[in-house]
Amino acid sequence: MEHQIGKLSELAEGQPISVSIAGTDLVVIREGSEVFIFEDRCSHADVALSGGTCADGQIECPAHGARFDLRTGAAKCMPAVRPIKKFQARIVEELVFVDFE
C-alpha cells in the first residue's frame, strides 16, 4: 500500500527526517531529485538513523558511526554488518510516496 510522505520541496537536501506510518518509524533522505526511505533504526544497535548525518551517498548512525548505502541499504562499515530495511520511494508531480505494507 502506498502512503504519501509529503512534498519533495519540503525535504531538505541531505537532512534525514523521521516519519511514522502504521506504527513504523521511517527515515527519509533527499539527495537531489531522489528520495531514499528506510526503517529508522540502525541494524547494529537499534538507534534512530534520523539523528544521523548524510554524506557521499551514505547515512551514518549517530551512536557508533556505522554507515549505510542510500541506494541499497547495505552496511558500509563496522560495527554494522547487516543492511537496513529499504522501502521504495516514488515521486509524482512533487509528491513523495512510499510503498509500505
Side-chain angles (χ1 to χ4, degrees), residues 29-43:
I29 304 131
R30 174 185 176 185
E31 260 200 2
S33 62
E34 294 183 279
V35 175
F36 303 97
I37 303 173
F38 302 94
E39 188 171 20
D40 191 10
R41 79 179 182 83
C42 177
S43 63

Side-chain angles (χ1 to χ4, degrees), residues 14-91:
Q15 297 294 314
I17 63 163
S18 180
V19 298
S20 185
I21 294 179
T24 299
D25 293 328
L26 304 174
V27 59
V28 180
I29 304 131
R30 174 185 176 185
E31 260 200 2
S33 62
E34 294 183 279
V35 175
F36 303 97
I37 303 173
F38 302 94
E39 188 171 20
D40 191 10
R41 79 179 182 83
C42 177
S43 63
H44 164 252
D46 199 21
V47 173
L49 291 171
S50 55
T53 57
C54 291
D56 302 322
Q58 299 178 14
I59 185 166
E60 183 173 317
C61 177
H64 300 109
R67 292 189 314 272
F68 302 91
D69 186 278
L70 291 181
R71 298 210 177 278
T72 66
K76 300 303 282 183
C77 73
M78 298 294 283
V81 294
R82 293 183 327 233
I84 53 176
K85 185 174 181 179
K86 183 176 183 194
F87 295 90
Q88 185 63 44
R90 189 167 73 94
I91 302 169

